[in-house]
């Protein structure tokens, strides 16, 4: 299939025809490929609003976990300045952080620092519903896990989970701070772990683990740009385990996994789709 490069803005949010190709990836319930990063941001922002409104309707609140890195920065800005997305029910939202470097929040490397600056200070979110990871404390993993459990246990059994987890993808296949061959990859019980890997500053990182991520109602993997193409080709191949390719360990048990890609990120998989299916049956 030759993807169209001509998005239409006639649909709500200009989204529907901007989904230029349909792909499959292992474990994914849906793979959205937009013609460019800008259209992709619209699509994921619109889906986020729909999920948030639905959760507030069902449960009275919405538990959202956001990643750092550079990829989501334009999304966070768009959520604040674009009137289409200002209806996100921030007053009913609990904001959690997927992973964090153990640096103060005013350090440029701090994910929460970035999210606070782009989102929190502009959103109508009650301060007690903002949950940064207490990275400078001795056991931020234990404290954050307790905080998560305390807030989620108000939900009825089965619904006591994160509602929407936004994940990024590193070019080495890591996600959150779950790096290839790192210790937290094998965690089966704890929801949060201190972990090493990547360009980790002294003291390590703190990360949500697969047991927490895979219990979520909805997981969105968000990646655009050609730097992500190789990692996505490896995912499509489906031959590597989670130690080699940590994103491969993301498999929601009772929830949905959606990938949000642009054409550049999906380039190698789209190319394959012209001659053979990206994922062998
Ligand atoms: C972080 C996240 C990490 C990130 C990927 C992608 O950096 O805080 O831990 O998992 O999502 O490394 O990063 P970019 O979005 O900067 O490419």
């Amino acid at each position: 299939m030759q993807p169209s490069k001509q998005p239409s803005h006639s649909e709500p949010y200009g989204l529907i025809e901007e989904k230029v190709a349909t792909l499959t990836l292992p474990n994914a319930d849906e793979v959205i490929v937009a013609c460019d990063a800008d259209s992709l941001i619209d699509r994921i922002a619109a889906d986020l609003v729909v999920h948030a409104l639905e959760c507030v309707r069902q449960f009275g609140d919405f538990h959202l976990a956001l990643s750092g890195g550079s990829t989501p920065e334009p999304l966070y800005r768009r959520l604040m300045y674009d009137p289409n997305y200002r209806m996100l029910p921030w007053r009913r939202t609990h904001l959690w952080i997927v992973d964090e470097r153990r640096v103060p929040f005013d350090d440029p490397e701090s994910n929460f620092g970035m999210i606070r600056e782009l989102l929190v200070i502009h959103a109508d979110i009650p301060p007690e519903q903002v949950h940064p990871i207490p990275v400078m404390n001795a056991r931020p993993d234990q404290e954050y896990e307790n905080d998560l459990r305390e807030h989620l246990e108000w939900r009825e059994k089965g619904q006591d989970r994160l509602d929407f987890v936004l994940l990024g993808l590193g070019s080495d296949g890591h996600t959150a701070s779950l790096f290839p061959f790192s210790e937290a990859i094998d965690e089966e019980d704890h929801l949060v772990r201190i972990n090493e890997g990547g360009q980790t500053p002294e003291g390590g990182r703190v990360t949500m683990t697969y047991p927490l991520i895979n219990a979520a109602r909805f997981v969105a993997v968000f990646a655009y740009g050609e730097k992500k193409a190789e990692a996505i080709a490896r995912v499509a191949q489906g031959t590597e385990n989670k130690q080699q390719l940590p994103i491969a360990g993301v498999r929601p048990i009772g929830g949905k996994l959606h990938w949000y890609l642009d054409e550049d990120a999906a380039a190698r998989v789209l190319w394959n789709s012209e001659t053979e299916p990206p994922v062998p049956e």
Side-chain angles (χ1 to χ4, degrees), residues 67-72 99 101 111 168-170 174-177 205 228:
S67 283
S70 55
T71 303
D99 68 316
R101 294 159 188 82
N111 285 343
L169 174 68
H174 81 261
T175 193
S177 287
R205 296 192 182 204
K228 311 287 173 166

Side-chain angles (χ1 to χ4, degrees), residues 29-48:
D29 295 285
E30 192 171 345
V31 183
I32 290 110
V33 183
C35 57
D36 56 28
D38 207 47
S39 313
L40 187 66
I41 289 166
D42 270 324
R43 174 64 192 244
I44 194 166
D47 286 357
L48 175 60

Side-chain angles (χ1 to χ4, degrees), residues 25 38 64 84 143 154 198 209 215 220 228 248:
L25 289 175
D38 207 47
L64 169 66
N84 282 328
E143 280 186 52
W154 289 96
T209 60
K228 311 287 173 166

